[in-house]
């Protein structure tokens, strides 16, 4: 792993891209924990108005991410879409320092904050396009390292944000966040654009173009393939007198069609995981303080521990990503998530929640590292759309989580809410296990044939 870090540091554009990602993470860690507090304390929103405001911001983010991703994939200009979304975030959070009327805040949220949220998915799409790392393992390690930097920001960001808030109020907090978004935009502007990077033919060591060679099918396509699909493709090639390279193209097209059918199921599972995770993020502080009679220090310890544990997990998964069966790991993460919620429902000591954070940390590490690259693998040539779909799955979960958390806790209490989150995780496992079981079956049949 140290050698891979050294290689990453030597990769063109990686260091500035890493700094831009870290600055984006700092801005998000400053604003996300305190935006709802701003709505209640500074803008005097009622719980209903706050819920509507947060829902509109999330919905705007989903829409903006989708539009921006489609445009960036068609044009190949991932840098431009990233900078536009970062500028929107700068203007949005700068506006929160002055706007206090509810209607004005809704306009700022929908027009600026939501589109600004698209920067999170676009920076990963931009990174994967601009780094141009030929080795698949190193490319996935680079993505995992960038994602780890977001976790690093969340280790210290909320605490520093609380300090800035106590000294400079919400104006100081949002001004600092706007500056962080602006710094990320400036750094991204200085990185050369990756327009049409995926469409350019690469050269091997002899200088021969490899554009005509058929790239190997992705792990997901190959694992989902059936002998019947390959046989049908080969029969078609033989009857039509199609050459070897064209024959592989036909076979890979069949595999790609099957892979596309799996995407909605995987995204639904990730949405359920995101829904449960966001609901828990809302409920956990209240549960620790009001139900288990803990302190705010306990809340900080739990959240900080989770973010800290994510870092080594993400780095390890990034280093091993290309060798892991992603559907199997994603299905296992859903099981771990269900166990975490059951444990929360039965625990009766606030400090016992802190070591439990190893479980959601594992879920975040697996879904963010392997989930994102898995969707990108299933959608080759559509980096922006694939990354946006992955992050939008979590955003859709966040839209629903506020309503779910508030309604269930009010009617049935915290423990029932956590058990219902466990049920959502079990549903996600059922969706993800479909691909995991099929992949394992295909691998077993292939091993038997080789034996």
């Amino acid at each position: 792993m140290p050698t891979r870090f050294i290689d990453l540091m030597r990769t063109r554009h990686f260091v500035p891209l890493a700094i831009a990602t870290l600055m984006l993470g700092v801005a998000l860690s400053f604003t996300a924990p305190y935006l709802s507090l701003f709505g209640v304390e500074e803008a005097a929103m009622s719980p209903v108005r706050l819920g509507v405001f947060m829902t509109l911001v999330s919905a705007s983010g989903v829409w903006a991410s989708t539009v921006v991703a489609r445009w960036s994939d068609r044009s190949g200009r991932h840098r431009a879409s990233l900078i536009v979304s970062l500028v929107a975030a700068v203007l949005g959070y700068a506006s929160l320092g002055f706007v206090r009327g509810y209607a004005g805040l809704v306009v700022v949220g929908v027009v600026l904050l939501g589109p600004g949220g698209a920067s999170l998915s676009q920076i990963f799409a931009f990174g994967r396009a601009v780094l141009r790392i030929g080795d698949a393992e190193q490319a996935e390690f680079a993505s995992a390292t960038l994602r780890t930097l977001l976790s690093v920001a969340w280790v210290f960001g909320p605490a520093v944000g609380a300090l800035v808030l106590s000294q400079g109020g919400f104006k100081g907090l949002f001004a600092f966040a706007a500056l962080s978004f602006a710094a990320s935009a400036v750094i991204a502007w200085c990185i050369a654009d990756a327009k049409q990077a995926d469409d350019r033919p690469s050269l091997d060591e002899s200088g021969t173009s490899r554009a005509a060679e058929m790239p190997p099918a992705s792990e997901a396509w190959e694992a989902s393939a059936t002998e019947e699909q390959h046989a049908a493709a080969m029969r078609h090639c033989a009857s039509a007198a199609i050459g070897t390279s064209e024959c592989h193209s036909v076979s890979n097209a069949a595999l790609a069609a099957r892979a596309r059918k799996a995407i909605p199921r995987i995204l639904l599972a990730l949405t359920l995981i995101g829904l449960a995770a966001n609901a828990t993020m809302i409920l956990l502080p209240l549960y620790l303080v009001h139900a288990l009679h803990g302190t705010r220090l306990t809340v900080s310890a739990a959240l900080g521990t989770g973010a800290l544990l994510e870092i080594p997990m993400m780095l390890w998964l990034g280093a091993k990503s290309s060798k892991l069966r992603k559907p199997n790991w994603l299905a296992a993460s859903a099981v771990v998530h269900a166990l975490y919620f059951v444990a929360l429902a039965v625990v009766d000591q606030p400090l016992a929640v802190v070591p439990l954070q190893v479980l959601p940390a594992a879920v975040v590490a697996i879904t963010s590292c392997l989930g994102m690259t898995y969707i990108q693998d299933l959608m080759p040539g559509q980096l922006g759309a694939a990354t946006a779909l992955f992050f939008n799955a979590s955003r859709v979960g966040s839209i629903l989580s506020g309503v779910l958390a508030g309604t269930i806790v009010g009617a049935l209490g915290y423990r029932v809410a956590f058990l219902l989150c466990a049920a959502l995780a079990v549903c996600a496992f059922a969706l993800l296990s479909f691909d995991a079981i099929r992949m394992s079956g295909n691998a077993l049949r292939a091993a038997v044939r080789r034996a």
Side-chain angles (χ1 to χ4, degrees):
M1 191 178 295
T3 303
R4 289 193 169 184
F5 271 121
I6 294 173
D7 291 340
L8 272 184
M9 294 302 141
R10 293 174 178 172
T11 301
R12 188 186 181 195
H13 302 316
F14 178 79
V15 172
L17 183 63
I19 297 173
T21 304
L22 181 61
M23 295 306 299
L24 174 60
V26 168
L28 293 173
S29 68
F30 268 47
T31 55
Y34 304 110
L35 190 57
S36 59
L37 188 64
F38 164 79
V40 173
E41 295 185 358
E42 192 76 8
M45 295 183 190
S46 66
V48 174
R49 284 195 164 195
L50 177 63
V52 172
F53 173 74
M54 299 296 287
T55 298
L56 289 175
V57 171
S58 297
S60 173
V62 171
W63 175 83
S65 296
T66 304
V67 172
V68 168
R70 288 176 179 174
W71 179 84
S72 65
D73 283 336
R74 285 197 301 266
S75 65
R77 298 185 181 275
H78 297 286
R79 183 183 68 165
S81 58
L82 171 61
I83 292 174
V84 168
S85 59
L86 287 170
V87 170
V90 171
L91 296 175
Y93 285 103
S95 299
L96 291 186
F98 306 96
V99 179
R100 291 296 179 269
Y102 185 72
L105 288 172
V106 168
V107 172
V108 169
V110 172
V111 176
L112 297 174
L113 298 185
S119 58
L120 184 59
S121 59
Q122 283 303 304
I123 201 164
F124 287 99
F126 176 57
R128 187 144 179 174
V130 78
L131 292 180
R132 305 183 190 178
I133 300 175
D135 181 72
E137 293 185 14
Q138 189 71 354
E140 296 198 7
F141 183 64
S143 295
T145 303
L146 293 176
R147 178 60 182 84
T148 302
L149 289 173
L150 293 180
S151 294
V152 170
W154 274 87
V155 171
F156 64 85
V160 177
L163 180 62
V164 174
L165 181 61
S166 65
Q167 298 299 316
F170 285 104
K171 286 186 178 181
L173 179 71
F174 292 136
F176 193 97
L179 288 174
S180 299
F181 281 116
S184 183
V186 170
I187 296 171
W189 178 266
C190 296
I191 300 175
D193 202 351
K195 184 178 185 301
Q196 306 299 335
D198 293 335
D199 299 328
R200 295 171 182 167
S202 57
L203 301 178
D204 59 21
E205 294 180 356
S206 64
T208 304
S209 173
R210 296 186 301 184
E213 295 183 12
M214 186 64 199
S218 71
E219 172 190 348
W221 300 358
E222 196 65 48
S224 300
T226 63
E227 288 298 310
E228 290 77 7
Q229 285 179 301
H230 287 293
M234 295 305 171
R235 287 195 299 270
H236 173 78
C237 293
S239 62
I242 298 176
T244 303
S245 62
E246 291 85 354
C247 186
H248 283 297
S249 178
V250 171
S251 179
N252 283 345
L255 298 179
R258 180 156 187 167
R260 283 193 294 270
K261 292 180 181 179
I263 291 175
R265 183 171 57 251
I266 297 167
L267 290 175
L268 177 58
L270 292 174
T271 299
L272 293 177
I273 291 175
L275 171 58
N278 281 288
T280 305
M281 183 62 68
I282 296 172
L283 296 178
L284 187 60
L286 301 174
Y287 180 59
L288 284 170
V289 175
H290 295 164
L292 300 182
H293 308 293
T295 65
R296 294 186 178 182
L297 182 60
T298 310
V299 176
S300 299
L303 296 179
T305 299
L308 184 63
L309 291 173
E310 292 170 12
I311 296 173
M313 294 181 186
M314 287 182 180
L315 292 176
W316 184 85
L317 288 169
K320 302 292 184 180
S321 178
S322 62
K323 299 178 182 179
L324 301 176
R325 295 187 181 275
K326 295 181 178 71
N328 293 19
W329 280 77
L330 289 171
S333 73
V335 175
V336 172
H337 219 201
L339 293 175
Y340 170 63
F341 294 127
V342 172
L344 282 182
V346 300
V347 75
D348 58 0
Q349 294 295 325
L351 290 178
V353 175
V354 177
L356 285 178
Q357 297 310 302
V358 67
L359 300 179
V363 175
V364 171
I366 293 171
T367 54
S368 60
C369 286
L370 303 186
M372 182 171 66
T373 55
Y374 188 38
I375 297 297
Q376 290 173 339
D377 288 345
L378 296 177
M379 299 175 65
Q382 297 177 277
L383 284 178
T387 312
L389 282 174
F390 170 77
F391 281 102
N392 281 347
S394 177
R395 287 194 183 100
V396 171
S398 68
I399 292 174
L400 302 174
S401 62
V403 178
L404 174 72
T407 303
I408 294 177
V409 168
L412 302 173
Y414 291 103
R415 299 183 190 276
V416 174
F418 289 133
L419 291 177
L420 288 177
C421 287
L424 292 176
V426 171
C427 292
F429 168 75
L431 292 167
L432 292 168
S433 62
F434 183 86
D435 293 294
I437 293 172
R438 184 175 60 189
M439 174 180 284
S440 299
N442 289 339
L444 179 61
R445 287 192 293 271
V448 170
R449 286 194 298 270
R450 285 194 299 269

